Amino acid sequence: MITSSAWSGKKYAVLGLARSGRATVEALLASGAEVLAWDSREEARAEFAGRVELTDPVDADLTGFAGVVVSPGVPLNTHPIKPHADSFGVPVIGDIELFAQARAELPQHRVVGITGTNGKSTTTALVHHILKTAGVPTTMGGNIGLPILEQEPLPKGGVYVLELSSYQIDLTYSLDCDVAVLLNVTPDHLDRYEGFEAYRASKLRLFTMQSSEGTAVDASSDPAVHEAILAIEGPGEITTLNPAAKDSDFLDLGNAQSLQGPHNAQNAYAAWAVAFDLGIDRPTVNSALASYRGLPHRMERVRELRGVSYVNDSKGTNTAASAPALAAFDNIHWILGGLAKEPGLGECEAELGHVKAAYTIGKAGPDFAALLEGRVPVEQCETLDRAVSSAASKAQPGDTVLLSPACASFDQYRDFEQRGDHFRELVEAQK
């Protein structure tokens, strides 16, 4: 694990004992810190009985504490922990901030931070894959993979590649990324922010924390975002990706079977910009693009049966995320619905020409059906098993059955992973 003498002898509270919370407690204890911890689940608390003080920090006297470490899932705008910690002058932080504090004692290394509303996981995994292909010691963490504090420190010359949500950036104050990437900013998670401008400002903080030695990569293709980045006194260099560059022959995307669609071209060019800044040559990048196999639930090709392709894009949890998946295929039998994040079809409107038929599920199913009626054949299926069965019975050779719900999953599933796993099981059961 990653430890630091910076935490030794200090007191920390940890709220939430899921994966990152457990890793945080272990790292703090191993570093000689005194820890107060809490989770609403008794079984999670039991793991640390006798090792930490098990008290809800919301009810604790936090005088003298160095920080309250919370899960990114804790809504700072509504949870009482933030005003309670503020009353004691104690910062509310996340495990990424602890990692930032530990960097001074790690072997010489570099950090890549990647944020954006959509495409973060793919770009993070792709940068990690390029570095591995180049023989560079690397690991990925943050919003992907193992908790960063649970991982072994990299040797000298290593590169930490971090996927960072706005929630994680909100809990970080000193993460100086050698390369920071912003992919895009579209309305999302607005229940946690006062509005879109506040959400965008959260993403931009990744650049404000950079020093003059850092490089900022603007892959947003958004003039307003670009102007905001130019106004930041942080990174010493700003790399702006031109949308027209996607048509360049500089990168060989023809052999990159797991990077189909214009959105993945953007992800690939963002990854190349990072690799270039880290000194990786073009042949190595192209070799890595060809061998990249993609991530589960992100335009994941599950199976081809009787000439019909089945694609799991359960990570499409908003319309902006699902639109690129629609753009990547033709003759689509589109399974959509769940817990809508915004009204309407959003960016999916422009891609309906790719849709042969639609099958709606979940709470938003009736609303989507009404929006699609008369534009594409639509069937209200309510549940995923019915949708897969119906789509499979109607699809013809050359068609694609695509789960890209444009919605959150929480009305019927624990998370988008469980939804995607269920889709995969249903597809594999088709005869």
Side-chain angles (χ1 to χ4, degrees):
M1 72 180 74
I2 291 174
T3 59
S4 175
S5 63
W7 311 326
S8 179
K10 297 180 180 178
K11 295 193 292 185
Y12 291 88
V14 178
L15 178 60
L17 296 173
R19 289 197 332 173
S20 65
R22 292 197 304 270
T24 296
V25 172
E26 296 291 359
L28 289 171
L29 290 175
S31 300
E34 181 181 336
V35 179
L36 175 154
W38 185 255
D39 192 288
S40 59
R41 298 168 298 134
E42 184 177 353
E43 64 273 20
R45 301 195 302 270
E47 183 177 340
F48 293 100
R51 303 176 63 203
V52 304
E53 179 185 347
L54 290 170
T55 302
D56 190 338
V58 172
D59 300 322
D61 182 344
L62 298 177
T63 302
F65 275 66
V68 177
V69 188
V70 303
S71 160
V74 174
L76 297 185
N77 60 330
T78 59
H79 198 283
I81 188 58
K82 183 66 166 68
H84 182 65
D86 287 347
S87 70
F88 289 91
V90 177
V92 178
I93 61 176
D95 64 333
I96 299 298
E97 173 60 21
L98 290 177
F99 168 73
Q101 296 172 10
R103 290 184 63 189
E105 297 176 15
L106 294 175
Q108 180 273 325
H109 64 278
R110 287 176 288 187
V111 171
V112 176
I114 298 169
T115 194
T117 305
N118 299 305
K120 297 186 296 295
S121 297
T122 295
T123 305
T124 300
L126 187 52
V127 169
H128 179 246
H129 181 69
I130 291 170
L131 290 167
K132 286 178 65 178
T133 302
V136 177
T138 183
T139 191
M140 60 181 179
N143 209 38
I144 191 172
L146 294 173
I148 191 62
L149 296 180
E150 186 178 310
Q151 302 192 36
E152 290 299 312
L154 293 172
K156 183 178 180 180
V159 179
Y160 296 87
V161 188
L162 304 179
E163 176 191 339
L164 299 170
S165 69
S166 60
Y167 303 161
Q168 289 168 310
I169 297 172
D170 290 341
L171 297 168
T172 306
Y173 301 94
S174 62
L175 181 67
D176 180 5
C177 294
D178 296 273
V179 186
V181 181
L182 177 60
L183 297 169
N184 48 65
V185 191
T186 57
D188 200 9
H189 304 304
L190 298 187
D191 58 324
R192 292 275 291 260
Y193 297 94
E194 292 181 0
F196 177 68
E197 292 299 322
Y199 170 62
R200 188 179 72 175
S202 173
K203 297 285 190 187
L204 291 171
R205 284 193 60 252
L206 188 61
F207 298 130
T208 66
M209 289 186 284
Q210 284 187 284
S211 64
S212 59
E213 289 77 30
T215 298
V217 176
D218 174 17
S220 69
S221 302
D222 185 331
V225 169
H226 183 63
E227 288 300 318
I229 294 173
L230 291 176
I232 293 172
E233 293 184 9
E237 181 179 343
I238 299 174
T239 299
T240 303
L241 297 186
N242 186 335
K246 297 172 192 173
D247 300 322
S248 165
D249 60 0
F250 185 84
L251 291 184
D252 181 7
L253 294 174
N255 293 323
Q257 295 302 307
S258 295
L259 293 168
Q260 296 185 33
H263 68 304
N264 273 327
Q266 180 189 37
N267 295 337
Y269 271 90
W272 163 75
V274 173
F276 179 80
D277 196 77
L278 297 177
I280 310 301
D281 60 38
R282 184 176 75 175
T284 301
V285 172
N286 281 326
S287 175
L289 296 180
S291 62
Y292 178 66
R293 290 293 168 258
L295 291 169
H297 314 298
R298 295 157 178 88
M299 287 178 58
E300 172 194 9
R301 288 182 174 271
V302 175
R303 183 184 188 188
E304 183 172 317
L305 180 64
R306 292 188 289 275
V308 177
S309 296
Y310 291 82
V311 177
N312 169 20
D313 191 50
S314 184
K315 186 64 169 65
T317 58
N318 56 54
T319 58
S322 288
L326 295 179
F329 304 99
D330 287 311
N331 301 316
I332 296 171
H333 294 260
W334 183 24
I335 300 174
L336 75 159
L339 194 62
K341 291 185 176 182
E342 74 261 60
L345 291 168
E347 295 181 27
C348 294
E349 288 268 8
E351 309 300 342
L352 291 182
H354 297 266
V355 177
K356 193 172 185 179
Y359 309 80
T360 65
I361 62 174
K363 185 176 181 181
D367 291 336
F368 278 128
L371 290 166
L372 292 169
E373 193 70 45
R375 307 171 74 182
V376 299
V378 60
E379 182 179 336
Q380 295 191 50
C381 297
E382 297 183 350
T383 60
L384 186 57
D385 56 342
R386 294 178 191 168
V388 170
S389 178
S390 184
S393 69
K394 294 179 174 63
Q396 299 174 346
D399 291 355
T400 296
V401 175
L402 170 69
L403 171 67
S404 190
C407 285
S409 58
F410 306 125
D411 57 334
Q412 294 180 317
Y413 296 94
R414 180 182 64 249
D415 48 35
F416 74 83
E417 289 98 335
Q418 186 185 44
R419 179 171 62 189
D421 289 342
H422 188 204
F423 176 78
R424 193 185 297 116
E425 292 167 5
L426 292 167
V427 170
E428 294 292 352
Q430 293 293 314
K431 303 297 184 184

